[in-house]
Amino acid sequence: MTNPLAAGSLSGKNVLVTGSSRGIGADTIRYFAGAGANVVINYRNKEARAVKLADEVRALGVQALVVGADLTDPASVAAMFATTKADLGDLDVLVLNASGGMESGMAEDYAMQLNRDAQVSVVEQALPLLHPGSRIVFVTSHQAHFIRTTPTMPEYVPVATSKRAGEDALRAKQDQFDAAGVEFVVVSGDMIEGTITATLLERANPGAISSRKESAGRLYNVGEFAAEVAAAAVDPIPEDHTRYVGDTSDFIAE
C-alpha cells in the first residue's frame, strides 16, 4: 500500500495513535512516520509488538515513543500524556483508534467504558498538548455510526452502541474544539478485512464477511483503511466532520 502522505510532509510533527501496536493503528503509525512525523505508539498489553514497531519506524529517522496505557484508567492516560509532553513537547495529531467490547472476561459495561468514557477522558487530557491547527481523528465503523437507523449483527450491538455514544460525546465538544482551534474529524469505515473485530464477527456469525463484501462490492483491508485514517489527519475536513470509507448505500442516514 502506497503511503497517502508525501515524504517529509510531516517532518517535525508529533502524532499519537491509541491502540497502535498492531492492525490499523500500527499501519497508521507507519504512514505518519514515513511522512517524517514523530510518533507515540500506545498499547494496552502488546508491548513486544509496540517495541518492534518503534524499532521499525526509528529506522526512518523519526522519534518513536512506546507508551503502555489502559485508556479506561484516567491515571494511566495522564501518565501517557506526561511522557509524551516530556519527550516531544506537544501533539499535532491525536488519532483515537483504540476500541473494543467483544473481548471475553471483561466487565459488562466495558464497551461503554472504553468506547465512550475513555475516548472523552483521552481527549480532555490531550487538549493541553494540542494547539491551534492540530487535529483529532476519531475512528469508527459504519455499523456503529449508523446504529440508530440501521440494525447490525447482535454480536456487535454493544460495540456499535458504545462507539456511537463515544462519537456523540466528542461531537458535543465541537464548540470547545473550535475555541481552542483544534480540528475534529470522524472516520467511519465499512467492515475491514483482517481486523480482530471482523474475525470475531465471522466466528460468531459465519459468512458475515463474505455477505458484507457481496453487498458492498468490496471491503477495504487493514492497510487501505489505515491509509484513509492517516489522510484524514491532513485532508480538508468535510462539512459534517465525517469521512466515509467504503460503501454506505446499505446504511440509512439520520
Side-chain angles (χ1 to χ4, degrees):
M1 182 68 202
T2 303
N3 194 337
L5 307 175
S9 61
L10 294 181
S11 293
K13 302 294 187 180
N14 302 321
V15 178
L16 187 153
V17 181
T18 63
S20 50
S21 64
R22 61 181 177 180
I24 293 166
D27 277 357
T28 304
I29 286 284
R30 291 184 176 99
Y31 293 135
F32 283 131
N38 302 314
V39 295
V40 182
I41 302 166
N42 159 249
Y43 69 94
R44 188 184 68 176
N45 55 20
K46 301 293 182 183
E47 182 179 13
R49 293 187 184 188
V51 169
K52 183 177 181 181
L53 176 61
D55 290 340
E56 175 188 332
V57 298
R58 286 183 188 124
L60 300 174
V62 303
Q63 294 185 65
L65 305 184
V66 176
V67 187
D70 177 354
L71 302 186
T72 65
D73 177 1
S76 186
V77 172
M80 175 176 71
F81 286 121
T83 297
T84 300
K85 183 176 181 179
D87 286 27
L88 298 180
D90 62 6
L91 285 173
D92 298 280
V93 179
L94 170 66
V95 178
L96 300 168
N97 168 71
S99 67
M102 295 184 68
E103 302 89 339
S104 59
M106 305 303 285
E108 185 176 350
D109 63 343
Y110 178 69
M112 198 64 76
Q113 288 181 33
L114 177 59
N115 298 329
R116 182 193 62 191
D117 302 344
Q119 306 304 312
V120 173
S121 172
V122 168
V123 164
E124 288 177 346
Q125 297 203 53
L127 279 172
L129 275 69
L130 298 169
H131 52 79
S134 58
R135 186 173 296 190
I136 298 169
V137 180
F138 177 75
V139 181
T140 190
S141 65
H142 293 349
Q143 289 78 10
H145 178 73
F146 293 101
I147 189 60
R148 291 199 290 257
T149 54
T150 309
T152 189
M153 289 170 279
E155 299 84 3
Y156 193 65
V157 168
V159 178
T161 54
S162 58
K163 284 190 70 65
R164 181 65 216 211
E167 177 184 337
D168 291 343
L170 293 177
R171 287 184 185 275
K173 289 181 168 292
Q174 189 63 59
D175 287 347
Q176 183 182 1
F177 297 154
D178 290 344
V182 174
E183 301 169 343
F184 175 71
V185 63
V186 172
V187 179
S188 177
D190 204 342
M191 187 181 291
I192 309 299
E193 286 192 286
T195 61
I196 295 171
T197 297
T199 299
L200 291 173
L201 287 173
E202 179 71 20
R203 188 178 302 162
N205 191 3
I209 294 176
S210 59
S211 176
R212 181 59 199 150
K213 183 186 293 187
E214 181 178 353
S215 179
R218 65 158 295 203
L219 295 179
Y220 282 65
N221 62 33
V222 169
E224 291 171 331
F225 184 64
E228 294 286 338
V229 173
V234 299
D235 285 351
I237 296 176
E239 187 175 349
D240 64 353
H241 292 267
T242 311
R243 182 186 182 111
Y244 294 104
V245 181
D247 181 64
T248 61
S249 61
D250 289 339
F251 298 90
I252 303 170
E254 294 181 357

